[in-house]
Amino acid sequence: MIKYITPFALTFFSAHALSSSQITSLNVDGNNIRFSIGSEKIHQLPSCVAQTTKSLYSFSLSTESGRAMYSLLITAIAGKLPVSVKSAMDCMIEADIERAKSISLAIAPTAPDSYKGISMLYKGDGVTQIGRVIGLRYINSGPVWDLAPSAESNHFRQFRPNDVSRRDLHFTSQDCSGQPLVQYYSGLQFVYNSSYKDSELHYVDRNSWKTLQVNSTLKHAGLCESTTLDAAFVEINPQPHGQCGTKPCILKEI
């Protein structure tokens, strides 16, 4: 199975060896979540943590990352799966409880010494392996995939799927010709359109930000639609992505 990577492809992947434990308690108090895991904390605890609550972590459901972490906890409990927790080293949610910065869900493969059934991330050429996807974490800037070394690399790596985004392209012309533009939002880096230059990756030029009117929009199916829209736009220009290359990365089950 082949999948182009999109910002919302948040799938839970196989992991070989992560320092993690199963959840031993979970409490919901309004927007505040408290939980604990089976392994004892070995890092230096923040000074704000009380002796009676040192085994707990907390986070808030009021943020997108908090809601994503809660979903991971529920998934872990339902599947009796181990998780690992990264501390924010503060008590910003509850005065005496350590705040969780991110949570990783680990799923052990049925055949740990085999590549069968493992998700492999490839460059956009569909041939060059980047690494096996062994874990998913969610931090404030979005999802992070942990990659084990592939046959072509000896290094553990990370991949941020939100770095590459499929977008509609906008033009000031009436016929989807000329300089392509995308609506700007914070964090947008590389974009592509399935019907524009064979899905070639384009880098977002943040310095070109301006408010203007566009008159046509190119959809992914190849349809050029008449549009009248006044908004903030940025120019995009062809540039390879450091990991994916000239086209979006591809995920394959091997």
Side-chain angles (χ1 to χ4, degrees), residues 47-61:
S47 59
C48 55
V49 174
Q51 182 68 22
T52 55
T53 59
K54 66 179 183 179
S55 65
L56 296 174
Y57 290 99
S58 66
F59 62 87
S60 174
L61 290 174

Side-chain angles (χ1 to χ4, degrees), residues 2 20 58 91-92 128 152 160 169 191 194 197-198 204 209-210 222 232 251:
I2 300 175
S20 53
S58 66
C91 302
M92 290 182 61
T128 307
E152 302 172 17
R160 298 174 182 268
L169 303 184
V191 301
S194 302
K197 293 190 175 180
D198 196 26
V204 175
W209 181 93
K210 65 181 69 174
L251 191 66

